[in-house]
Amino acid sequence: VQARRQRRHKRSSALRANQTSLREMMSKLEQQAATDELTGLFNRRHFIELAHAELDGLADGTQIGLALIDLDHFKQVNDKFGHAAGDRVLQTFATVGQACLREGDVLARYGGEEFVLFLPDCDADRLTSCCERLREAFASAEPVGMSVNRLSLSAGMTLLQPGADLDAALQQADQALYRAKDAGRNRCNAAWEHSGA
């Protein structure tokens, strides 16, 4: 009986250890699924989930700032210095971006050299100053082991009200981004300036 109890105790201890290990592995997998491996920022899929959740809970009288950010002339960096250098530029932007944000703000890699910024409880002034701060910080950043003449970014900004459609807001931000690039890059363009809203 004593030996049986000991075996049962060992088995339940081993089971508890396995469950703990499985929980840790699941948590790590969830984190990996939500994160862009290169930059450590959230990935596009996780950003969209977060944005929908934030929009669903958006109270009347509050709004969310949204910006699409594109690193200017990124293809030239890859062509001139190679993909490893391009990766360092992306990592540099991620580091600079995180340093410019407050708790609760979200910066995610949207794809390639494009990023998305999501600022809860935000107005036009705050969104603009955040994007400008990011633009200036990135322009003065120096990726490790590289001598790049000048880094710059372009941003397209919009604001989301309660009941806003995320896809439509992303399209507005994308159009504002296109106008920023068309106007010579290295600038932040707002959807509300174009629409008169």
Side-chain angles (χ1 to χ4, degrees), residues 90-105:
L90 294 171
Q91 290 164 335
T92 299
F93 173 76
T95 303
V96 164
Q98 288 173 308
C100 287
L101 302 180
R102 65 179 183 176
E103 196 174 333
D105 294 343

Side-chain angles (χ1 to χ4, degrees), residues 54-125:
E54 195 74 35
L55 271 171
D56 288 346
L58 192 58
D60 286 342
T62 58
Q63 52 191 1
I64 294 169
L66 175 76
L68 281 178
I69 297 165
D70 194 84
L71 306 189
D72 296 331
H73 308 295
F74 184 74
K75 188 180 180 316
Q76 290 175 14
V77 172
N78 273 340
D79 291 347
K80 186 173 179 183
F81 300 103
H83 288 281
D87 288 351
R88 280 200 297 280
V89 169
L90 294 171
Q91 290 164 335
T92 299
F93 173 76
T95 303
V96 164
Q98 288 173 308
C100 287
L101 302 180
R102 65 179 183 176
E103 196 174 333
D105 294 343
V106 175
L107 180 64
R109 188 170 179 198
Y110 203 62
E113 72 275 15
E114 198 167 47
F115 296 82
V116 62
L117 180 62
F118 192 79
L119 307 182
D121 192 19
C122 185
D123 60 19
D125 289 342

